[in-house]
Amino acid sequence: MTAPADTSRADITYAGYLSLDDLLAAQHPLSDEHDEMLFVVIHQTKELWLKQILHEVAQAQALVRAGDLVPAYKSLARVSRIQAVMTMSWDILATMTPADYLRFRGVLGSSSGFQSDQFRRFEAMLGLKDARFLKFHTERPAALAALQAAIDAPSLYDDALAQLAAAGLPVPSEVLNRDVSQPYEPSQGVEDAWLEVYRDTTRWWPLYQLAEKLVDLDDALLTWRHKHVVTVERIIGRRRGTGGTEGVAYLTETLQRRCFPELWSLRTKL
């Protein structure tokens, strides 16, 4: 005897499943300039990818906190691949010339990618905590609450350090018990603990692989930032950003940030 057909699912269409009518109606250029549509689509696409990134990092954090390091690698690897796609999208935006952009830049007002709450949540989840960005989201309570929660919660790096300690490696107690809402400060003790992992990779293989997956994320984020700098300078030169930042000068400063500083500094000592 065959089971009855699931008519509720049989009626699902491609457009319906993906809510395409809503998705494709979400582009609202404010000028009649041809290139503004590209500008909107590029940035909306980045926000969709950021939504997936946050989904994957949350999964990875849950697994790492539970001590399931190997299953976490999949989500972390997926995030790195998404970051690569986001970086490549700057090449599409770079087909817009300075003259193209300046024809509609005025309609953007003070809006800027600098204000992306999802990007700031991603940074916070990796360990780059900065409460100064909260003020940009007061008109969106849900976004503000989500960013505040990400700042207040342990980061992926905090979770990784807790697993180092759980494995018996000498992570300083002041690092494990620090106020996780504050920016992370590099620790010689943490570097020493990671050095033990890197000097005996066979013994500490799951932690070593986790560390390299974290470096992949940081590497990809730095690559994204660098391409952002180059693209912005190509299109607007050294003008101030629409959000009031110093533009290229501000973006260049962000290249110095590291989410997992000891995983970089230890390499000199191996």
Side-chain angles (χ1 to χ4, degrees):
M1 183 175 179
T2 59
D6 187 342
T7 55
S8 63
R9 293 190 176 183
D11 292 340
I12 294 178
T13 64
Y14 176 79
Y17 177 69
L18 296 177
S19 299
L20 284 185
D21 290 338
D22 293 333
L23 182 65
L24 298 178
Q27 293 72 48
H28 306 289
L30 299 179
S31 75
D32 294 327
E33 295 299 328
H34 176 81
D35 285 82
E36 191 184 354
M37 179 62 80
L38 173 64
F39 193 79
V40 171
V41 169
I42 286 285
H43 286 83
Q44 287 186 339
T45 302
K46 287 183 186 295
E47 291 295 329
L48 285 172
W49 280 127
L50 282 167
K51 183 174 183 176
Q52 185 65 35
I53 281 176
L54 296 177
H55 186 61
E56 298 296 340
V57 175
Q59 168 79 346
Q61 281 197 266
L63 290 167
V64 172
R65 286 176 187 173
D68 295 330
L69 304 188
V70 175
Y73 302 160
K74 179 179 179 180
S75 285
L76 296 177
R78 183 175 290 169
V79 171
S80 296
R81 295 293 183 90
I82 294 172
Q83 288 175 287
V85 170
M86 290 177 66
T87 297
M88 288 188 290
S89 71
W90 289 121
D91 289 334
I92 303 172
L93 191 62
T95 63
M96 182 185 300
T97 68
D100 296 331
Y101 179 57
L102 290 174
R103 290 190 183 100
F104 67 85
R105 190 186 192 220
V107 306
L108 302 179
S110 61
S111 65
S112 169
F114 175 84
Q115 301 158 357
S116 169
D117 65 284
Q118 289 199 119
F119 183 72
R120 299 309 174 190
R121 281 172 61 194
F122 179 41
E123 287 186 318
M125 291 173 80
L126 295 188
L128 297 178
K129 307 292 185 78
D130 193 336
R132 293 177 298 173
F133 293 111
L134 291 167
K135 64 185 178 183
F136 297 110
H137 310 292
T138 54
E139 79 289 355
R140 298 173 62 224
L144 178 64
L147 180 54
Q148 183 71 70
I151 291 173
D152 291 341
S155 70
L156 176 61
Y157 197 41
D158 290 319
D159 296 330
L161 296 182
Q163 290 303 311
L164 272 183
L169 289 155
V171 180
S173 60
E174 62 269 23
V175 173
L176 296 173
N177 299 316
R178 72 185 190 86
D179 180 354
V180 297
S181 69
Q182 297 303 305
Y184 179 80
E185 295 292 336
S187 161
Q188 183 60 56
V190 168
E191 183 183 274
D192 291 342
W194 281 122
L195 273 168
E196 287 196 36
V197 171
Y198 274 73
R199 285 171 174 158
D200 191 350
T201 59
T202 301
R203 179 181 180 185
W204 305 109
W205 188 256
L207 287 167
Y208 173 62
Q209 285 297 299
L210 175 63
E212 284 298 293
K213 290 291 186 294
L214 295 182
V215 173
D216 285 344
L217 297 185
D218 223 353
D219 189 325
L221 184 56
L222 290 166
T223 302
W224 184 90
R225 292 190 197 277
H226 179 262
K227 189 61 178 177
H228 189 186
V229 171
V230 172
T231 304
V232 169
E233 185 168 13
R234 174 172 176 162
I235 295 176
I236 68 169
R238 295 277 170 170
R239 292 170 178 261
R240 289 183 66 84
T242 51
T245 71
E246 293 296 324
V248 167
Y250 164 74
L251 295 173
T252 301
E253 181 272 328
T254 67
L255 295 175
Q256 305 306 312
R257 298 176 185 173
R258 296 292 187 276
C259 301
F260 319 115
E262 294 89 355
L263 296 181
W264 294 92
S265 60
L266 70 82
R267 284 159 159 74
T268 305
K269 298 180 181 178
L270 282 175

